[in-house]
Amino acid sequence: MQALYDVIVIGAGPAGYVAAIRAAQLGLKTACIDDFVGKDGKPALGGTCLNVGCIPSKALLESSQQFHALQHSFKDHGISAGEPTMDVGVMVARKDKIVKQLTGGIGMLFKANKVQSIAGRGKLLSGKRVEVTRHDGTVETLSASHIILASGSVPIQIPGLPFDGKHIVDNVGALDFDVVPRRFGVIGAGVIGLEMGSVWKRLGAEVTILEALPDFLGSCDADIARIAAREFKKQGLDIKLGCKVNAAEVRGEEVHVGYTDAKGEPQTIVVDRLLVAVGRRAHTRGLLADDAGVSLNPRGQIEVDEHNRTSADDVWAIGDCVRGPMLAHRGSEEGIAVAERIAGKAGHVNLDTIPWVIYTEPEVAWVGKTEKECKDAGIPVRTGSFPFAAIGRAMAMNETCGQVKIVAHADTDRVLGVHMIGPMVSELIAECVVAMEFQASSEDLARICHAHPTLSEAVHEAALAVDKRAIHRVN
Ligand code: FAD
Ligand code: NAD
């Protein structure tokens, strides 16, 4: 069969839509199939990230932070106002407007780049054919020289705690409460649990987070996790570690959650809304025909090599449906790299320098290895830390909590990881990603002129501190 397209992408999240645009930019005839339907019942591009993930959660984090600042920190600046109130409906409508603007923007980018956008469900058949089932039920078969699978991920459900969309919810439900729950329970003290817990806590909910593991933020650097735990506790987030949740039962308007605590004692909490945020899994249901030739790994992810090639010829997979951190920017970079490889160029993604950010207050950000990971791997390291409390700009902003920590190789001084907690560290981490991509040493960072007064001076000083020569603190 003559291929209809050069490239068909299944999934229009940040991995798939970026791959489609890059492929089209490179002159490839490209179609992108996506089945997501927005709150208004219409097809919406952008996947989890734009519709029910990164963007709406950040919109709510921003609104709730403004409300919290008005209540708690404006007075330090001498600003007073009447009793602040929060109209949750307006906050959610603002979030929906941002989502609509961005998802609509992808549609415009597709048009401008001549990407054929197809609303419906795609299933990979053998021979690089894709069966498309449109939302009206009509079915057609398309073909392409290359297929890119970018079907994303879905929340993991705990047996005995089925989502009902109202009382027991996943990320979708937790982004759309119409009132602030008086008691908000969260299962999982991971990224979603902490971000959504923060939103509703700032708006007045009593928040209890039940985490199965004994350590808090186990994948973060231990110093950063310790500061985060202290700050979140101060904010009133009740994070209970080492808890095994057994079951939850909706009784009227309440959810009764049974769990075993860290001492093995049975406990119950009663909440008005329960968010289950215990991780996500690759979304591959109905994606692959039996003879499609694409293998899954034991975790149910699509198996790929270092260049995102699957086990089927000219079939590629990117983003949350494959190994690697489930982050929008990782998927987008893979999308660009794969499109470039298809076009005969040299696309590449360095999975060792993918930055992580948790958009709590203070924010947490890191790239590369933690001090413990280095030590466990037998890598000798020197570290340098610098607190925001000694940074003038942070004081002016009234946001002095946190620090920057740099982990460098003890012999070569190469930067192996940077770990931050504090104001706007989501932005500060970019400099460190660049440094690591260019294989910088901590001395390189220390010798670069940083503007004064800025938060980035904390990075500069932490780099100086690796060599025990920070200026604005005693080494
Ligand atoms: P997705 O965004 O999941 O997109 C996949 C798309 O494919 C979806 O539209 C899906 O409906 C569609 N699809 C699936 N199967 C088919 C099929 N067979 N046919 C047609 N279409 C199909 N990451 C960050 O980097 N920063 C953040 O701040 C952040 N915040 C988050 C907050 C929340 C609440 C959540 C849930 C996630 C967050 N993430 C964040 C993670 C981020 O959303 C994902 O890593 C990212 O969306 C993955 O992109 P993707 O393109 O691989 O998949
Ligand atoms: P997560 O992996 O970040 O956290 C899940 C937490 O739930 C873990 O701490 C885990 O130990 C705990 N857990 C697992 N099973 C449990 C159980 N039965 N009882 C109690 N706790 C349990 O997953 P998430 O928060 O659901 O988010 C999914 C993914 O989405 C993240 O890993 C991340 O990749 C992405 N995300 C990123 C951002 C961001 O970049 N800012 C924000 C939200 C989501």
Side-chain angles (χ1 to χ4, degrees), residues 10-17 33-37 44-55 57-58 120-123 150-154 171-172 175 191-192 195-196 280 283 285-287 318-321 325-331 355 357 359:
I10 302 182
Y17 85 72
I33 305 165
D34 190 274
D35 66 352
F36 195 92
V37 174
L45 300 170
T48 304
C49 169
L50 267 58
N51 289 285
V52 290
C54 322
I55 296 299
S57 59
K58 267 77 252 178
R121 207 160 165 72
K123 181 179 193 173
S151 55
S153 62
V154 288
N171 55 296
V172 180
L175 290 163
V191 201
I192 295 180
E195 290 186 353
M196 296 316 299
R280 297 175 65 84
H283 181 20
R285 205 164 57 142
L287 178 70
I318 57 177
D320 276 15
C321 63
M326 288 186 165
L327 296 172
H329 40 283
R330 194 261 299 176
V357 177
Y359 296 82

Side-chain angles (χ1 to χ4, degrees), residues 53-54 57-58 153 155-156 158 187-195 210-213 215 217-218 243-245 276-280 320 325-329 355-359:
C54 322
S57 59
K58 267 77 252 178
S153 62
I156 293 174
I158 304 181
I187 304 183
V191 201
I192 295 180
L194 292 172
E195 290 186 353
L210 303 176
E211 164 61 46
L213 295 178
D215 295 323
L217 284 180
C243 295
K244 310 252 172 313
V245 177
V276 181
V278 294
R280 297 175 65 84
D320 276 15
M326 288 186 165
L327 296 172
H329 40 283
W356 273 88
V357 177
I358 308 178
Y359 296 82

Side-chain angles (χ1 to χ4, degrees), residues 123-130 141-142 289-293:
K123 181 179 193 173
L124 180 70
L125 310 176
S126 61
K128 292 183 276 180
R129 291 168 308 132
V130 176
T141 302
L142 307 175
D290 290 344
D291 60 353

Side-chain angles (χ1 to χ4, degrees), residues 183-184 206 254-257 268-272:
R183 298 161 300 181
F184 182 42
E206 277 171 30
E254 293 181 331
V255 189
H256 292 240
V257 187
T268 303
I269 54 164
V270 180
V271 295
D272 303 300

